DNA sequence: TGGTCCAAAATGTGATCGCAGATTCGTTCC
DNA sequence: GGAACGAATCTGCGATCACATTTTGGACCA
């Protein structure tokens, strides 16, 4: 490409970040899902979304198809896309599968986490506790995501990371919904904050311990929500 | 719908199975992938495929997008879809993740398998051994798929089943490629045939034993291919 | 023979159109 | 007042077109 420069090559390059529209739409929708901006049962029609986004149907259709392929959306018999409701059965099932994948990823992460990664994890853990004390649900969910995926990314397995991402894409939309049912009272969640201890185990290269603690985090969060949350 | 029948309601219904074109194309492509009909590195362009299938680009585009969302296809910087090559690293990674998910599914399947399911599994296991003795790779791969997914489906976890399916969608295309490298000599694979024993453990409600055997099946198949197969 | 350059074909992307089936909503009739 | 009907709208689906960029292929020249 830069093999020869014929005429004048004037200005210093500006590496314009260009990406297709359907990619942008996909990211927007994915973010809207993960941050719980869409209520379950909500029908997502390509035409309406397109009008809302100021594009044609096509990029929206593409984005919806991709999300449906990942089971983040359900397809009605007529082809419409719906944000599926979270039933007790589905929540149970998703949590069970999380319990299979995420501790395993944690166990494998311990060998790959370097000093920098551990430092960052500790920082996020601190911010996480602070957010919980401040009753700041948004910050809590965000930092919780960053904390967990800081570990899972470090495990160095692209395929496992991808599987966990698809699980979160299904669970994520509802965490905020659940939280909102507690009058912003996060005390119940605060009581099961193992993040600091997990970091400690990771620092000690105790993969098994870290995995076990993370499993408890998932298990107890699961139990707490099954007890207290309202399902469809 | 059947609330009232106005005029004559003539013939006995024929429940016509109607499904969108892009769904059909998706299934065709998925099947072509899983059965190893496409060589890695192969570029899949929507226009060519559309001409080949006799449709317009649109249904093909949709199908390709869905497959890419599941990581069954890679996207080149220019947006073209490619069947990704199987490197040693990727194969290692995928097998590692399979070792996390599939024994877990097996462990959970033992409680849900009824007499009918076990009988069918045993039949498939017999056919599997026969196919291996006949050096019939196609039949072997097909029955192997049916055997494993007979177990995974029984485990009753839709989310876990989905994760395993996405893993197979990535590994599947290459199993035949690998097999073809051995001059259709399946003896190496025959030596590690645990299927009958797995059925036996399942019948004995020994989930742990079945899971361990299945893990060995994956692990030894993995080792065998890492030793003997040619990668990209 | 090997490299360069330009024209032609191919390709991703997105918009628009048309169709058929589904949905919605207002009217009408009992 | 409520159910039944019908028209208007909505919506998924697929085809086709347009455009910009990339890729390809071949001619031309050193």
């Amino acid at each position: 490409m830069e093999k020869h420069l014929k005429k004048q090559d004037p200005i210093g390059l500006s590496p314009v970040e260009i990406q297709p529209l359907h990619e942008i739409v996909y990211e927007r929708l994915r973010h809207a899902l993960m941050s719980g901006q869409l209520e379950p049962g909500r029908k997502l029609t390509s035409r309406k979304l397109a009008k809302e986004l100021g594009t044609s149907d096509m990029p929206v259709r593409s984005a919806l198809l991709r999300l449906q392929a990942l089971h983040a959306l359900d397809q009605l018999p007529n082809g419409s896309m719906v944000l599926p409701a979270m039933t007790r059965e589905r929540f149970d099932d998703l949590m069970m599968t999380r319990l299979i994948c995420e501790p395993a990823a944690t166990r494998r992460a311990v060998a790959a986490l370097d000093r920098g990664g551990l430092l960052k994890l500790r920082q996020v853990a601190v911010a996480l506790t602070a957010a919980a004390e401040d009753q700041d649900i948004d910050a809590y969910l965000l930092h919780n995501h960053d904390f967990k995926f800081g570990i899972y990314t470090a495990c160095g397995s692209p395929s496992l990371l991808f599987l966990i991402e698809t699980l979160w894409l299904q669970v994520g939309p509802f965490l905020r919904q659940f939280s909102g049912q507690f009058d912003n009272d996060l005390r119940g969640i605060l009581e099961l904050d193992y993040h600091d201890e997990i970091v400690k185990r990771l620092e000690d290269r105790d993969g098994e311990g870290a995995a076990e603690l993370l499993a408890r985090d998932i298990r107890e969060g699961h139990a707490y929500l099954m007890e207290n949350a309202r399902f469809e």
Side-chain angles (χ1 to χ4, degrees), chain A residues 111 121 189:
Chain A
L121 275 184
I189 294 180

Side-chain angles (χ1 to χ4, degrees), chain A residues 182-219:
Chain A
F182 307 137
D183 300 324
N184 286 341
D185 185 353
L186 293 183
R187 274 172 300 179
I189 294 180
L190 250 182
E191 288 171 8
L192 41 102
D193 185 346
Y194 298 123
H195 300 88
D196 286 321
E197 283 201 66
I198 290 176
V199 176
K200 197 173 302 172
R201 304 296 163 93
L202 290 173
E203 288 170 341
D204 293 345
R205 304 295 172 197
D206 176 11
E208 202 48 56
E212 180 48 41
L213 277 175
L214 191 121
R216 275 177 63 182
D217 178 285
I218 296 175
R219 210 151 27 214

Side-chain angles (χ1 to χ4, degrees), chain A residues 84-162:
Chain A
M86 184 60 77
T87 62
R88 301 187 90 86
E89 294 74 29
R90 193 159 96 97
F91 191 67
D92 248 347
D93 178 37
L94 285 168
M95 284 303 177
M96 174 93 61
T97 305
R98 284 189 61 196
L99 272 175
I100 294 170
C101 296
E102 300 184 28
T106 305
R107 209 171 290 120
R108 297 196 51 208
V110 70
L113 270 169
D114 58 0
R115 193 174 308 272
L118 286 170
L119 184 62
K120 191 166 291 181
L121 275 184
R122 180 158 289 289
Q123 293 169 345
V124 177
V126 170
L128 195 50
T129 305
E133 287 170 350
D134 293 349
Q135 307 287 338
D136 185 343
I137 291 188
D138 289 321
Y140 182 84
L141 292 178
L142 182 65
H143 287 132
N144 185 48
H145 174 280
D146 288 350
F147 182 81
K148 301 273 170 59
F149 276 84
I151 300 176
Y152 306 151
T153 303
C155 93
S157 169
S159 61
L160 183 55
L161 180 61
F162 171 63

Side-chain angles (χ1 to χ4, degrees), chain A residues 22-23 26-27 61-71:
Chain A
H22 68 84
E23 196 68 36
Y26 175 77
E27 287 302 334
R61 281 197 235 175
S62 304
L64 293 180
L65 274 172
R66 286 170 62 184
L67 288 170
Q68 187 253 348
L70 296 173
H71 288 197

